[in-house]
Amino acid sequence: MGACPPIIKVTSAICNAGYKVSCSHTCPGSIKTDAPDYVIWDIVRELAKTCGSKQVDPENREQQYIGNIINKPQTVTNVDFTYNANAVGESRKIKLVRYQVNPTKNWGPKK
């Protein structure tokens, strides 16, 4: 699989499937959602198909596992990557900084 898709594309797909989603406050690029696992896997499979994943090498075990996951049938009838306004959190709309950089080296609580 290639590079990670834009987070807004993934969060929009989750919202379009009828679930809530927001970015995590602990790790950049991670999300929180009430969507069940099978919905997330369907979105990942659809991304793999649209991003043009490489052919699976039958000799490579890791690629075999990836191929098994990607080739499973979809359970959700429609994965829609169309932009959804609900996929953008309120804090992003008002441009709050989520992950601040330490102002100086070794900054933070001391002993």
Side-chain angles (χ1 to χ4, degrees), residues 25-84:
H25 68 284
T26 58
C27 181
S30 62
I31 58 172
K32 302 181 292 182
T33 182
D34 62 347
D37 293 345
Y38 68 88
V39 173
I40 304 301
W41 281 113
D42 284 346
I43 292 169
V44 169
R45 285 186 197 102
E46 193 63 30
L47 281 168
K49 290 175 190 173
T50 59
C51 292
S53 62
K54 297 176 183 174
Q55 290 284 16
V56 176
D57 178 5
E59 301 297 319
N60 186 325
R61 274 195 109 117
E62 185 177 311
Q63 286 187 6
Q64 287 177 358
Y65 294 132
I66 292 168
N68 290 341
I69 292 168
I70 291 172
N71 294 327
K72 275 190 166 185
Q74 298 283 102
T75 54
V76 173
T77 55
N78 186 19
V79 177
D80 180 13
F81 294 110
T82 306
Y83 174 79
N84 187 314

Side-chain angles (χ1 to χ4, degrees), residues 7-8 23 29 88-96 98-99:
I7 194 78
I8 193 69
C23 291
V88 180
E90 292 300 318
S91 61
R92 283 193 178 202
K93 288 177 185 174
I94 60 174
K95 302 195 188 267
L96 285 180
R98 280 187 173 248
Y99 311 102

